[in-house]
């Protein structure tokens, strides 16, 4: 379909005006505190717990999910092995996924999760419950600082802010639309 | 049928019209809270507007750069001049993979191209996976809002639809339980999806990535399970740099629903190993709009829906009254570019109050463009005869002081003498359908003024 390509580009070239300047986007600054991140994440339906170190994670999982279904994780001993070629039926049965987040954004409660931390691209969405582990010092104030941290977007990467939600029926907020029904961020001190 | 005729159908249900109005105003208020909480919000609007203006001024270069980067990432890039070519391209990819079951997340572009009916005609089972879109798909309706596709429906309507199609209990109207039923129903579809189609919120020229923003997670679930992902984008979705996303992601959800950001902001740069990622870049009238200096800025739109949430006409007439993929004020300036005759009434579906322009996160001068489309439509002879001739008549009358004075006198007398049924006859005076004319004054201001003694 190269003919369409060239025709489209020619039409655009003929229509576009003289060049207008591209502005520089300032960083703005802002509040990157744990308190701010916590407040915002809770306001969008997420939960957050502060832990002294990674060793405390298994006990917290036990506490959060006393009856635990299949667990997939890059950080803990998993009860279901997940890789890029895992069949969808196996993925669909995952109850809890515990994955590493790279950094969090205090202004909106989002956590950056690149493909390399996901085991399978569908895992953070198909799991019933998602737990993201994040180092406390990896908090930034705004999306400006967040993108300043991203040298490249990886093959695939997602900012995840809270659990899956919808308000498509009469604007009533319902948590757990298609993706994870709950999201807990485990913030590791240090 | 004109906007006002379709709006009349919608407004027959007074309670529902009031509910619709209040619900959207509630969303507008949430937007305000989010916007005012951010000291740099107005700065960000200006930056977003400038980034988009720059991108449009260099669009051919950015399209080429984007294509080159995407190809380097292993993405297959396709170009479609119009809706038909877009649909044919998508079908060809599906047929090449022998796919008959596909899942689709929200894409106003595929709505614009009428992809669903085209695919269904060719034997493809296409499932919309956004909850609101699935609801309207089951009802064989069009979305009535950019962000809230089923906002024209009450929970009882959704309950009836789900009872009919998903077997929920009759009379079930609890949003929580209805959503749970849809989740279960759509999980089966996700798992069985062979190819997934998504829209695109932003396309990054420097990295060749496409970015998709959702709250439900339906886009990611669909495309990350299927072997083939087709992302369909209008070519105005481009932005130059990855870092420009910081501006747009801060504005989009705040403007749309008052959230600080959408739940998922997903960046697709390379296909997963062994899988395919296709990007279809669509013109469909956009290069023509780019060439109209008065209307070019409409291409800055990031589809947040803020202009419709605030619009007094949209809120009280419903999205379907626009009969165009994108309703509301922004739809009224995009649609005449696609089909001027069909959508000739839309630029008049506005009070020109300017609230749309005030809330637009990319500072599109929407109400000015609405006004300018009216001039174009008049010049192209697309006004209804009644409007055209009454305007011509009024123009003459207002240009002549003598005729104006005589007309005023005649109207003041006439309104007093003529029967109410005639002065308020819907056929002659649509203004008075739901309103009473004021009582005519005994004299004009001019007459009164002349009776006053000279204060000097």
């Amino acid at each position: 379909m190269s003919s369409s390509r060239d025709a489209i580009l020619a039409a655009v070239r003929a229509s576009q005006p003289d060049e207008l300047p591209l502005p520089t986007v300032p960083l703005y600054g802002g509040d990157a505190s744990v308190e701010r991140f916590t407040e915002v994440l809770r306001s969008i339906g997420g939960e957050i717990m502060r832990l002294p170190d990674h060793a405390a994670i298994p006990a917290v999982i036990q506490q959060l999910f006393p009856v635990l279904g299949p667990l997939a994780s890059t950080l803990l001993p998993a009860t279901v092995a997940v890789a890029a070629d895992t069949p969808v039926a196996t993925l669909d049965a995952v109850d809890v996924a515990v994955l590493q987040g790279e950094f969090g954004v205090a202004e909106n409660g989002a956590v950056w999760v690149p493909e390399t931390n996901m085991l399978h691209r569908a895992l953070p969405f198909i799991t019933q419950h998602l737990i993201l582990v994040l180092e406390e010092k990896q908090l930034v104030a705004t999306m400006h600082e967040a993108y300043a941290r991203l040298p490249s977007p990886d093959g695939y990467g997602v900012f995840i802010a809270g659990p899956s939600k919808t308000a498509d029926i009469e604007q009533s907020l319902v948590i757990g639309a298609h993706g994870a029904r709950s999201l807990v961020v485990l913030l590791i001190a240090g | 049928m004109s906007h006002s005729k379709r709006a009349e159908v919608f407004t027959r249900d007074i309670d529902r019209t009031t509910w619709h109005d209040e619900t959207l105003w509630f969303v507008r208020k949430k937007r305000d809270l989010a916007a005012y909480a951010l000291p740099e919000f107005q700065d960000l609007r200006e930056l977003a507007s400038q980034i988009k203006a720059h991108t449009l001024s260099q669009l051919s270069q950015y399209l080429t750069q984007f294509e080159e980067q995407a190809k380097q990432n292993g993405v297959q890039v396709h170009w479609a001049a119009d809706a038909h070519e877009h649909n044919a391209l998508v079908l060809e990819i599906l047929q090449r993979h022998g796919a008959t079951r596909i899942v689709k997340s929200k894409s106003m572009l595929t709505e614009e191209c009428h992809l669903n009916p085209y695919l269904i005609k060719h034997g493809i089972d296409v499932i919309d996976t956004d909850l609101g879109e699935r609801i309207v798909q089951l009802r064989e309706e069009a979305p009535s809002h950019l962000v809230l596709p089923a906002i024209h429906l009450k929970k009882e309507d959704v309950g009836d639809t789900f009872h009919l199609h998903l077997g929920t209990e009759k009379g079930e109207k609890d949003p929580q339980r209805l959503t749970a039923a849809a989740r279960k129903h759509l999980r089966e579809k996700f798992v069985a999806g062979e190819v997934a189609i998504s829209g695109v919120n932003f396309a990054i020229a420097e990295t060749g990535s496409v970015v998709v923003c959702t709250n439900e997670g339906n886009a990611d679930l669909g495309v990350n399970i299927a072997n083939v992902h087709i992302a369909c984008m209008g070519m105005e979705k481009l932005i130059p740099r990855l870092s420009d996303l910081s501006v747009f992601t801060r504005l989009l959800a705040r403007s749309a629903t008052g959230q600080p950001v959408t739940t998922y902001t997903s960046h697709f740069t390379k296909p997963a190993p062994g899988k395919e990622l296709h990007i279809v870049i669509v013109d469909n009238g956009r290069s023509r709009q780019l060439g109209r200096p008065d209307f070019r800025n409409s291409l800055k739109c990031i589809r947040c829906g803020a202009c419709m949430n605030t619009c007094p006409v949209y809120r009280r007439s419903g999205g379907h009254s626009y009969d165009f993929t994108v309703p509301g004020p922004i739809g009224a300036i995009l649609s005449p570019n696609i089909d001027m005759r069909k959508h000739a009434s839309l630029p008049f579906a506005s009070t020109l109050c300017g609230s749309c322009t005030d809330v637009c996160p990319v500072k599109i001068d929407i109400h000015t463009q609405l006004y300018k489309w009216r001039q174009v439509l008049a010049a192209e002879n697309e006004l209804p005869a009644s409007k055209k001739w009454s305007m011509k008549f009024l123009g003459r009358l207002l240009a002549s002081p003598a005729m104006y004075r005589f007309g005023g006198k005649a109207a003041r007398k006439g309104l007093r003498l003529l029967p109410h049924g005639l002065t308020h006859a819907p056929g002659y005076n649509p203004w008075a359908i739901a309103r009473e004319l004021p009582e005519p004054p005994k004299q004009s201001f001019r007459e009164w003024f002349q009776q006053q003694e000279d204060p000097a």
Side-chain angles (χ1 to χ4, degrees):
Chain A
M1 297 277 174
S2 68
S3 61
S4 273
R5 173 192 185 274
D6 296 344
I8 292 167
L9 285 172
V12 172
R13 217 171 291 123
S15 293
Q16 69 191 30
D18 292 341
E19 183 173 0
L20 293 161
L22 177 63
T24 310
V25 179
L27 276 180
Y28 286 106
D31 183 358
S33 66
V34 171
E35 290 70 29
R36 179 75 187 142
F37 181 76
T38 303
E39 181 196 338
V40 176
L41 184 61
R42 289 202 171 126
S43 77
I44 56 175
E47 201 31 74
I48 183 164
M49 298 171 86
R50 292 175 82 169
L51 304 183
D53 51 40
H54 283 89
I57 297 174
V60 167
I61 307 281
Q62 175 73 41
Q63 178 201 332
L64 287 170
F65 302 98
V67 187
L68 184 66
L71 173 120
S73 181
T74 49
L75 304 163
L76 298 175
T79 57
V80 53
V82 172
D85 58 356
T86 299
V88 63
T90 310
L91 291 171
D92 196 26
V94 172
D95 189 27
V96 179
V98 184
L99 304 174
Q100 180 73 45
E102 290 298 305
F103 56 88
V105 187
E107 71 161 328
N108 57 25
V111 177
W112 175 251
V113 186
E115 178 171 25
T116 41
N117 296 7
M118 287 180 193
L119 294 171
H120 186 291
R121 285 189 182 192
L123 182 59
F125 310 94
I126 203 165
T127 180
Q128 296 293 327
H129 304 278
L130 178 61
I131 295 177
L132 294 175
V133 177
L134 188 65
E135 318 308 315
E136 205 172 284
K137 56 178 181 284
Q138 304 296 334
L139 287 181
V140 298
T142 65
M143 290 306 276
H144 305 296
E145 291 177 13
Y147 280 104
R149 280 244 185 151
L150 278 185
S152 94
D154 214 345
Y156 170 66
V158 191
F159 281 106
I160 299 178
S164 160
K165 59 176 86 70
T166 184
D168 274 347
I169 301 175
E170 272 200 19
Q171 276 294 292
S172 305
L173 180 68
V174 177
I175 302 287
H178 303 300
R181 293 171 192 273
S182 74
L183 175 100
V184 182
V185 171
L186 300 182
L187 211 51
I188 310 293
Chain B
M1 208 199 279
S2 69
H3 173 271
S4 56
K5 288 266 184 296
R6 284 187 299 264
E8 203 181 309
V9 177
F10 181 81
T11 52
R12 264 177 217 152
D13 187 337
I14 293 171
D15 290 343
R16 181 171 297 224
T17 306
T18 305
W19 176 82
H20 190 265
D21 177 23
E22 286 169 353
T23 305
L24 287 155
W25 187 248
F26 170 69
V27 182
R28 155 76 209 256
K29 285 197 286 196
K30 287 199 292 184
R31 173 261 174 210
D32 286 353
L33 283 176
Y36 297 145
L38 209 61
E40 59 266 30
F41 193 80
Q42 298 303 331
D43 268 18
L44 292 173
R45 289 178 69 215
E46 183 58 36
L47 281 168
S49 185
Q50 286 180 17
I51 293 168
K52 283 282 186 181
H54 164 81
T55 314
L56 291 172
S57 78
Q58 299 283 289
L59 190 58
S60 62
Q61 292 92 322
Y62 282 126
L63 283 167
T64 316
Q65 185 191 6
F66 173 78
E67 180 192 36
E68 202 175 299
Q69 288 301 322
K71 280 182 169 172
Q72 274 181 26
N73 295 333
V75 175
Q76 300 180 48
V77 181
H78 312 267
W79 300 75
D82 54 27
H84 178 74
E85 191 175 8
H86 163 266
N87 294 348
L89 271 166
V90 172
L91 180 65
E92 196 204 310
I93 300 169
L94 297 178
Q95 288 175 338
R96 204 187 316 142
H97 290 274
T100 55
R101 287 171 306 179
I102 68 162
V103 287
K104 183 161 81 66
S105 61
K106 192 118 124 264
S107 154
M108 294 317 286
L109 177 74
T110 59
E111 291 286 340
E112 173 188 322
C113 295
H114 302 293
L115 178 68
N116 283 14
Y118 178 87
L119 293 182
I120 289 164
K121 201 174 74 190
H122 287 87
I124 309 281
D125 183 21
V126 50
I127 305 288
D128 283 322
T129 59
D130 174 83
L131 176 60
E133 289 219 317
R134 185 64 183 144
I135 293 167
V136 296
Q137 187 185 32
L138 289 172
R139 297 172 64 92
E140 297 181 23
E141 291 177 358
S144 70
H145 188 285
L146 280 176
V147 182
L148 321 162
I151 194 66
H152 59 290
L153 298 171
K154 305 278 286 181
K155 57 189 177 204
E156 290 81 6
D157 303 324
V158 179
D160 291 345
T161 304
F162 281 12
H163 172 64
L164 192 64
H165 295 277
L166 308 187
T168 52
E169 225 168 278
K170 193 167 174 57
E172 179 63 79
K173 56 178 185 181
D174 175 57
Q176 188 86 40
R177 282 195 289 271
L178 291 172
T179 303
R183 176 184 170 101
K184 189 164 168 286
H185 157 72
L186 284 165
R187 267 286 163 122
E188 292 161 17
K189 305 292 180 186
F190 281 122
V191 168
E194 297 161 326
V195 173
I197 297 177
S198 79
V200 169
N201 289 90
F202 306 101
I204 320 299
E206 73 172 356
T207 62
S209 321
V210 291
V211 174
V212 180
C213 306
T214 73
N215 280 327
E216 299 182 5
N218 57 315
D220 297 270
L221 200 47
V223 304
N224 291 333
I225 289 175
N227 283 323
V228 181
H229 172 192
I230 308 173
C232 303
M233 59 176 267
M235 60 186 186
E236 81 284 14
K237 297 290 173 195
L238 274 176
I239 52 175
R241 307 162 294 201
L242 184 63
S243 60
D244 294 325
L245 275 176
S246 64
V247 176
F248 292 99
T249 53
R250 296 189 85 192
L251 287 168
L252 178 63
R254 286 184 173 94
S255 299
T257 58
Q259 294 170 255
V261 73
T262 48
T263 304
Y264 304 103
T265 306
S266 308
H267 306 58
F268 298 89
T269 306
K270 296 175 184 164
K275 296 191 174 187
E276 288 181 22
L277 173 53
H278 297 259
I279 297 176
V280 187
I281 303 173
V282 183
D283 182 340
N284 204 33
R286 286 163 177 76
S287 57
R288 185 171 60 234
Q289 189 86 324
L290 185 64
R292 302 181 198 260
D294 283 346
F295 306 113
R296 176 179 294 146
N297 280 342
S298 62
L299 295 172
K300 291 179 178 176
C301 176
I302 57 171
R303 305 289 191 265
C304 69
C307 60
M308 44 205 77
N309 300 341
T310 200
C311 177
V313 175
Y314 174 89
R315 282 190 276 118
R316 292 177 184 83
S317 63
H320 288 155
S321 65
Y322 291 79
D323 195 25
F324 183 65
T325 317
V326 181
I330 181 68
I333 59 175
L334 291 172
S335 56
N337 176 56
I338 302 286
D339 186 339
M340 202 181 288
R341 175 150 301 166
K342 183 177 175 204
H343 303 296
S345 71
L346 296 191
F348 295 90
S350 165
T351 62
L352 301 184
C353 69
S355 186
C356 45
T357 304
D358 289 342
V359 297
C360 177
V362 290
K363 288 195 164 183
I364 301 171
D365 51 340
I366 303 175
H367 73 296
T368 311
Q369 293 191 35
L370 286 166
Y371 177 70
K372 284 177 176 168
W373 268 120
R374 295 180 184 186
Q375 321 301 309
V376 174
L377 289 163
E380 299 278 336
N381 211 13
E382 292 293 350
L383 297 189
S386 60
K387 183 168 275 167
K388 181 177 153 189
W389 292 110
S390 59
M391 285 299 135
K392 273 195 196 296
F393 170 74
L394 208 60
R396 286 262 180 92
L397 184 82
L398 293 173
S400 155
M403 272 173 67
Y404 176 75
R405 278 200 290 278
F406 173 74
K409 222 172 229 154
R412 282 191 295 280
K413 180 130 297 183
L415 281 175
R416 226 169 295 134
L417 297 177
L418 291 170
H420 182 274
L422 194 60
T423 58
H424 289 67
Y428 297 107
N429 191 359
W431 191 89
I433 288 172
R435 285 175 285 209
E436 274 302 304
L437 288 170
E439 197 178 317
K442 295 223 160 30
Q443 55 182 183
S444 71
F445 173 76
R446 183 189 166 86
E447 286 164 353
W448 172 85
F449 188 77
Q450 279 174 342
Q451 286 169 3
Q452 304 309 303
E453 280 173 34
D454 194 337

